[in-house]
Amino acid sequence: MSVIQSAPPWRRQLDSALSLAKAEAGMTDANLPAVQDDENQLSLPALQSAASWVARKIWDAGRPGNESSSHVVALFVEKSCLCVVASLGALLAGTRFVDLPATSKDAEIVRILRVVKPTIVVTTSSLRERLPEELLGGAAVLAIDHAVPAGGTA
C-alpha cells in the first residue's frame, strides 16, 4: 500500500499567488525581473524557488509536534531581494512574523526579541553576530544567504 502525500499548503498558496502576480503584471516572459536590488534580481520562478526553500525550512522547523502556525518568526534581513524572499517564505509557511530592521540599534533588537520570543529567526550570516545568543532562547536560526544566487540574476 502506498502513501500519497499532498503538497504542503504553502506550495499551493505560492503557486496561486505567483500566477496572479504574473497575470496582474502582464508578464509574458517568466525571466523578467520580479524583484531586484543593487546586487541581485530575481525572476518570478527564482523568487518562487527561493521563497519555497525558506517556507520549507520554516515548515520543517515546526516538526515534530509543532504546527508552523504556532511559530513566531523574526525576520532580521537587510532591505533587499532576500527581505522579499524571507517575507514571502514566512507568509507561505503560514507563520506569524515580525520584521527586525537591520538598521535597528542593538538595544532595540534586544527589546523586540525579549517581547516577541521568536521560535525561528531568519537572517543572513553577516547579521547573525548581532543576535545575542542568550536572547534567542533556543530559537532556530535560519541563514538564507544562499537562497538567492550570489551576486547574480536568477
Side-chain angles (χ1 to χ4, degrees):
M1 181 171 159
S2 65
V3 177
I4 299 173
Q5 293 182 326
S6 62
W10 56 264
R11 172 50 100 182
R12 292 186 300 278
Q13 293 167 348
L14 176 66
D15 291 341
S16 290
L18 291 177
S19 294
L20 178 62
K22 184 177 175 181
E24 287 293 320
M27 293 180 72
T28 55
D29 182 358
N31 293 318
L32 290 174
V35 294
Q36 65 184 47
D37 59 32
D38 292 340
E39 298 175 18
N40 299 297
Q41 67 180 27
L42 296 174
S43 64
L44 274 175
L47 177 60
Q48 179 177 6
S49 175
S52 292
W53 182 84
V54 171
R56 170 53 66 193
K57 294 293 186 181
I58 292 171
W59 185 267
D60 288 347
R63 304 292 181 236
N66 292 331
E67 290 298 320
S68 64
S69 62
S70 68
H71 291 299
V72 176
V73 175
L75 304 180
F76 188 47
V77 183
E78 292 158 337
K79 299 298 179 196
S80 64
C81 287
L82 281 177
C83 185
V84 176
V85 168
S87 299
L88 185 55
L91 285 168
L92 294 172
T95 62
R96 296 173 291 153
F97 67 93
V98 62
D99 183 39
L100 289 172
T103 56
S104 297
K105 295 186 182 330
D106 289 347
E108 181 69 5
I109 292 168
V110 167
R111 186 187 70 75
I112 293 171
L113 288 173
R114 280 191 179 134
V115 171
V116 173
K117 297 179 181 153
T119 52
I120 302 169
V121 179
V122 176
T123 191
T124 60
S125 298
S126 62
L127 291 175
R128 172 64 177 95
E129 64 191 38
R130 291 188 55 206
L131 296 169
E133 196 66 43
E134 65 277 4
L135 287 177
L136 291 177
V141 177
L142 173 60
I144 61 169
D145 304 83
H146 60 281
V148 173
T153 302

